[in-house]
Amino acid sequence: MIKLKQLKKNGSKKYLNKKIFLILPILIFNAIFFFGSFVTGIFSSFGNNFYNNGWFVDKTFILLDQEIIRNIFFTLRISAFSTFFSLTIALFLLFIIFNHPIAKKYFKKILYLPLLTPYLLIAFFMMYAFSTSGLFNRILFSLGIVDNLSDGLILINDLNGKGIILAYIWKTTPFILLVLLNSLDHFDFRLLTIAESLGSSKLQSFYNIIWPHINSSFFYSGIIIFTFIFSAVEIPLILGPTRPQMIGHWAFQNFQNGEIIYRSQSLAIGTVILCLNIIITLFIGYKLLGQVTYEKNH
Amino acid sequence: MKKIVILTVLLIIALTAISCTKTENISQEPLTLSWDEIVENGKNSTVNLYYWGGSTAINNYFDEFVSDNLKKKYNITLNTVPVSDIKDIVNKILLEKQNNQTDGSVDLLWINGENFKLMKDENLLYGDLTSVLPNFNKYIKENPLDFTEATNGLEVPFGKAQFVLVYNEERVTEEIKTLGDLTQWIKNNPGRFTYPSIPDFTGSAFIRHFYYHESNGIESLKDINPYLWRQGETYPNSSGTLDTLYSQGEVDFTMSYTPFHQIQKIRSGEFSEASKTLILEDGTLSNTHFLTIPFNSEEKAGALIAINYLISFEAQYEKMKPSIWGDLMVLKEEYLSETERNLIKTLIVDYQLDIETFENNRLEEFSGDKIEAIEKEWIEKILE
């Protein structure tokens, strides 16, 4: 790390060329595991001697299949809702943090806690807390609020994917907040005091002073979260309903449980998901970030 | 730029080096030899056994009992490779065949059903194994079917599984004998029954019983749908999830393709003591699982010795003990000696259910194609 800083300072061409070696490990890792599996996946999805029904046969099937269209809409809906709620809550929390000095001091440390919890753990926690016979319903039951456990609150495996959304909000809100706080690392807080002394309301100074500092990180983290949820597997697998399925879950299940001769089909689905993901990312990135840069320049 | 090019070239070379493998010729064909010669050839070898390793009981059986005895008797080292899905291994052998690789790493494989059919169709199997195995010709004699597929000795029967229902005695007081009784119970007790959704193996097996016993299977399933857990809106995604629902008291039934599921789960403390096993009197599905040797195994003689040991009375009896594994025996009772038969009788006390109950209520499995059609119909008619 120290070396890197020095390199940055020196900035000479000789040092810059050596920079590539510093990121070489991660480049090789990505080349082999990410790019390698991407290429293998695409090739396998074409089918071979053994897998007769490959990409060519199935791409029409995939596009025409009602099920995948339903699954894609379900996935889009869940990703959009989760991203929207996480972003809103994060922004709201940020507003609170800035207006309460004590919160500002301790909040960042607390934020690391949910970030360190694995997704699987959260999924299982949700399952034990909000299933029919979960903790929450048992409490309602013992308080006499419901007569039957099945009349209580059920957020798991429901057709609207409430459990999935909740799990993602829990996990991604701290992430967004942390990104936002980091982008404010060099922010001069005296600006807020000045604004206030000039009569600006809290909301006004938040919008006019803080927002311009964080808006690009805000949209960036939104895109990261959206695309991440879009192709997620494990949380939908545990918390999602039988039908509709999120497409990542759907492809994984086909690959894992389907007959071996259909593996190329699952890989073809996987490729389609990847392409959809790239398209959506580019689209949102282009639309939103284009706008952000525009605002910054003018 | 130059460096990037060099790096790319290096990377390609490295990847090619990884994917290249040496090829060797195979030695003498053991199937043409007599059993004594096979034993002579296979002694002191190392046999790689690939099997589904999702159960501690099964892992222990192979790792301890089988491994120790093969070492003692033949000085064969059994190298056990537990895998999460044997399909991946079939895939690996497929690719080895494609690359004409004759020094396969798999010597012994535990399979059945679709995986066997695929291996048979693609000529990935070694040959007629059962004709040379002394224990097969002593205790079994006939090649059974594998999901209606003729095995022709290409694989050797190793164990039997049978579908059972597990219920909570305290909640289910009515006597349930047939599938009709069960559907009646489900309708009388809404929300207390469910089954794992397709493509779960156990859920699929449960559904198949309706196709066996009812004139219109899918209609009967549709009929009970609103009376299921959460009104049939969603299903547990695996038999493990169903077990959890059952142990939490959300439903009163669970199911398994392992005959002694309930005994094992009570022992592990997951199920209450009130859990009982139920076999429908109009029959439940059963299947046989097998051992086989791939075409390119390097230790075929050693693998044959291992198979012969695994279908010996000693190994089968040990496997049958519920405390060890609880898998049904493939040896035919009529060919057992008097002492062997008595040993089995003492085992029955442990089971709580008579072995004969299993024998008498056994249904043969459907073919792979038929199963696929049933699963498709369920997804279309029930889920959509």
Side-chain angles (χ1 to χ4, degrees):
Chain A
M1 272 327 278
I2 301 163
K3 249 189 178 171
L4 198 70
K5 268 180 191 164
Q6 275 176 346
L7 287 175
K8 265 184 190 164
K9 263 185 199 161
N10 291 335
S12 80
K13 224 180 174 183
K14 202 176 137 198
Y15 284 110
L16 266 177
N17 280 342
K18 280 190 180 165
K19 260 188 181 175
I20 191 163
F21 289 103
L22 291 173
I23 52 165
L24 205 58
I26 193 75
L27 273 186
I28 292 175
F29 183 84
N30 273 339
I32 294 175
F33 290 102
F34 179 74
F35 195 67
S37 55
F38 179 52
V39 171
T40 330
I42 288 180
F43 274 106
S44 313
S45 72
F46 281 101
N48 56 32
N49 293 348
F50 299 110
Y51 314 132
N52 293 320
N53 31 8
W55 168 266
F56 288 117
V57 184
D58 288 319
K59 70 173 174 189
T60 37
F61 152 78
I62 286 166
L63 292 175
L64 292 174
D65 198 317
Q66 283 288 310
E67 196 184 345
I68 191 165
I69 292 168
R70 219 156 62 113
N71 286 343
I72 287 174
F73 275 113
F74 181 67
T75 314
L76 281 173
R77 206 171 66 210
I78 299 258
S79 317
F81 271 121
S82 311
T83 315
F84 174 76
F85 284 126
S86 307
L87 287 173
T88 318
I89 294 170
L91 210 56
F92 178 70
L93 286 174
L94 192 74
F95 180 70
I96 290 178
I97 291 168
F98 268 93
N99 293 306
H100 293 85
I102 303 165
K104 198 157 55 191
K105 203 172 168 191
Y106 294 107
F107 212 84
K108 211 167 161 180
K109 290 198 175 73
I110 301 170
L111 279 182
Y112 281 105
L113 259 154
L115 275 181
L116 291 173
T117 344
Y119 276 94
L120 275 182
L121 205 71
I122 286 177
F124 282 113
F125 176 83
M126 293 287 296
M127 209 167 102
Y128 285 105
F130 296 113
S131 63
T132 314
S133 62
L135 194 67
F136 191 77
N137 281 354
R138 279 180 202 273
I139 292 170
L140 288 185
F141 183 72
S142 59
L143 291 176
I145 298 171
V146 291
D147 301 329
N148 225 318
L149 282 178
S150 52
D151 298 338
L153 184 69
I154 304 169
L155 294 179
I156 304 308
N157 311 121
D158 70 304
L159 296 183
N160 295 317
K162 286 184 219 120
I164 307 175
I165 296 176
L166 209 62
Y168 278 123
I169 292 175
W170 180 357
K171 186 76 182 146
T172 54
T173 309
F175 167 76
I176 302 169
L177 209 45
L178 213 61
V179 172
L180 297 184
L181 283 172
N182 279 340
S183 67
L184 286 169
D185 257 359
H186 301 294
F187 179 71
D188 191 347
F189 288 96
R190 283 174 301 185
L191 285 173
L192 287 176
T193 331
I194 296 167
E196 235 163 279
S197 69
L198 290 173
S200 133
S201 77
K202 279 179 178 173
L203 212 61
Q204 272 176 328
S205 48
F206 185 79
Y207 181 72
N208 290 316
I209 303 171
I210 296 176
W211 177 246
H213 277 86
I214 56 166
N215 60 2
S216 64
S217 326
F218 182 78
F219 289 122
Y220 260 126
S221 51
I223 292 166
I224 292 171
I225 286 165
F226 184 87
T227 48
F228 177 77
I229 299 172
F230 189 81
S231 52
V233 176
E234 71 273 60
I235 290 216
L237 183 79
I238 299 167
L239 302 177
T242 312
R243 284 291 188 285
Q245 287 170 315
M246 282 181 74
I247 48 175
H249 172 200
W250 186 56
F252 175 75
Q253 199 178 43
N254 274 327
F255 184 83
Q256 196 68 14
N257 295 327
E259 297 306 337
I260 200 163
I261 49 167
Y262 297 125
R263 282 217 160 163
S264 51
Q265 181 185 317
S266 315
L267 286 165
I269 297 167
T271 313
V272 169
I273 292 173
L274 192 69
C275 294
L276 273 174
N277 212 334
I278 291 171
I279 292 167
I280 290 170
T281 316
L282 286 178
F283 178 74
I284 302 177
Y286 180 75
K287 278 268 171 196
L288 283 178
L289 290 181
Q291 214 173 345
V292 172
T293 350
Y294 178 84
E295 277 171 9
K296 263 188 178 169
N297 294 339
H298 295 261
Chain B
M1 193 58 218
K2 209 172 158 190
K3 271 173 187 156
I4 294 171
V5 174
I6 293 169
L7 277 175
T8 323
V9 172
L10 278 175
L11 196 71
I12 290 167
I13 292 169
L15 286 176
T16 329
I18 292 166
S19 60
C20 279
T21 38
K22 60 184 166 82
T23 46
E24 265 173 31
N25 290 326
I26 12 166
S27 52
Q28 223 175 348
E29 285 299 331
L31 281 187
T32 56
L33 306 173
S34 74
W35 182 247
D36 289 336
E37 287 168 324
I38 292 174
V39 173
E40 204 47 50
N41 272 349
K43 272 198 308 208
N44 312 320
S45 58
T46 300
V47 175
N48 296 322
L49 164 71
Y50 283 70
Y51 67 101
W52 175 76
S55 149
T56 331
I58 297 173
N59 290 340
N60 288 344
Y61 172 72
F62 283 126
D63 275 341
E64 287 162 19
F65 181 80
V66 180
S67 221
D68 292 352
N69 279 298
L70 280 175
K71 190 88 200 167
K72 231 186 290 169
K73 290 186 163 84
Y74 304 99
N75 195 28
I76 287 178
T77 311
L78 189 70
N79 179 27
T80 52
V81 188
V83 294
S84 63
D85 194 342
I86 210 73
K87 217 184 311 176
D88 295 326
I89 304 306
V90 176
N91 200 19
K92 180 180 145 87
I93 300 169
L94 259 170
L95 294 174
E96 284 177 1
K97 168 106 180 178
Q98 239 178 339
N99 299 334
N100 293 321
Q101 196 179 328
T102 47
D103 58 339
S105 49
V106 185
D107 300 316
L108 195 51
L109 195 61
W110 178 31
I111 56 165
N112 76 347
E114 279 302 295
N115 290 324
F116 167 69
K117 191 170 185 314
L118 184 75
M119 288 189 89
K120 184 184 169 192
D121 291 347
E122 300 294 344
N123 290 321
L124 300 177
L125 297 165
Y126 176 40
D128 182 7
L129 312 175
T130 51
S131 57
V132 298
L133 296 171
N135 277 334
F136 181 86
N137 295 314
K138 184 177 170 195
Y139 289 118
I140 306 172
K141 293 189 183 175
E142 263 173 71
N143 286 318
L145 296 176
D146 184 358
F147 282 80
T148 69
E149 187 71 22
T151 55
N152 304 336
L154 290 166
E155 52 175 4
V156 184
F158 174 47
K160 272 180 192 162
Q162 189 159 353
F163 186 87
V164 292
L165 288 159
V166 176
Y167 65 99
N168 186 330
E169 204 179 26
E170 286 163 7
R171 304 263 330 177
V172 184
T173 43
E174 298 89 336
E175 200 176 13
I176 290 167
K177 283 188 168 173
T178 61
L179 195 65
D181 294 346
L182 183 67
T183 48
Q184 197 51 51
W185 187 91
I186 294 168
K187 284 179 183 169
N188 293 341
N189 300 272
R192 304 296 303 172
F193 186 93
T194 190
Y195 51 90
S197 74
I198 305 284
D200 180 78
F201 177 75
T202 312
S204 169
F206 176 74
I207 289 161
R208 291 202 285 279
H209 287 88
F210 281 82
Y211 284 80
Y212 236 114
H213 298 310
E214 307 276 332
S215 53
N216 193 342
I218 196 72
E219 280 307 314
S220 313
L221 282 164
K222 238 182 188 170
D223 239 24
I224 61 165
N225 210 41
Y227 302 99
L228 294 179
W229 174 74
R230 294 181 66 173
Q231 291 91 47
E233 199 179 71
T234 186
Y235 296 81
N237 57 14
S238 70
S239 52
T241 316
L242 178 60
D243 281 345
T244 311
L245 289 179
Y246 173 77
S247 59
Q248 288 175 341
E250 274 192 47
V251 291
D252 297 325
F253 278 90
T254 183
M255 54 193 72
S256 174
Y257 220 125
T258 313
F260 306 108
H261 189 64
Q262 157 246 352
I263 299 175
Q264 286 156 355
K265 287 282 180 180
I266 289 178
R267 195 169 284 143
S268 69
E270 285 164 79
F271 288 2
S272 80
E273 294 281 341
S275 302
K276 289 274 174 277
T277 299
L278 170 73
I279 293 185
L280 300 173
E281 277 177 18
D282 41 10
T284 61
L285 289 168
S286 90
N287 70 52
T288 310
H289 45 93
F290 298 81
L291 294 164
T292 192
I293 304 175
F295 75 101
N296 61 355
S297 153
E298 284 201 300
E299 296 293 351
K300 288 179 180 126
L304 280 168
I305 298 171
I307 294 179
N308 192 55
Y309 178 70
L310 284 163
I311 56 169
S312 67
F313 180 78
E314 184 187 282
Q316 289 277 317
Y317 173 69
E318 182 77 7
K319 177 166 71 80
M320 199 173 178
K321 291 178 185 165
S323 59
I324 301 295
W325 177 347
D327 189 41
L328 297 173
M329 195 176 255
V330 282
L331 312 183
K332 297 226 171 80
E333 215 184 324
E334 55 199 285
Y335 303 132
L336 297 179
S337 72
E338 197 55 43
T339 33
E340 289 168 343
R341 234 173 273 167
N342 284 335
L343 270 173
I344 296 210
K345 268 184 194 139
T346 57
L347 209 59
I348 291 171
V349 185
D350 250 9
Y351 280 147
Q352 302 175 20
L353 251 178
D354 205 317
I355 294 292
E356 276 171 22
T357 320
F358 286 106
E359 293 280 350
N360 296 339
N361 302 303
R362 186 167 280 168
L363 301 174
E364 275 302 318
E365 266 291 358
F366 290 95
S367 73
D369 294 340
K370 177 87 181 152
I371 292 173
E372 209 186 310
I374 290 174
E375 292 185 348
K376 221 172 216 162
E377 187 174 40
W378 186 82
I379 288 171
E380 275 164 17
K381 298 253 167 82
I382 304 275
L383 275 190
E384 303 300 326

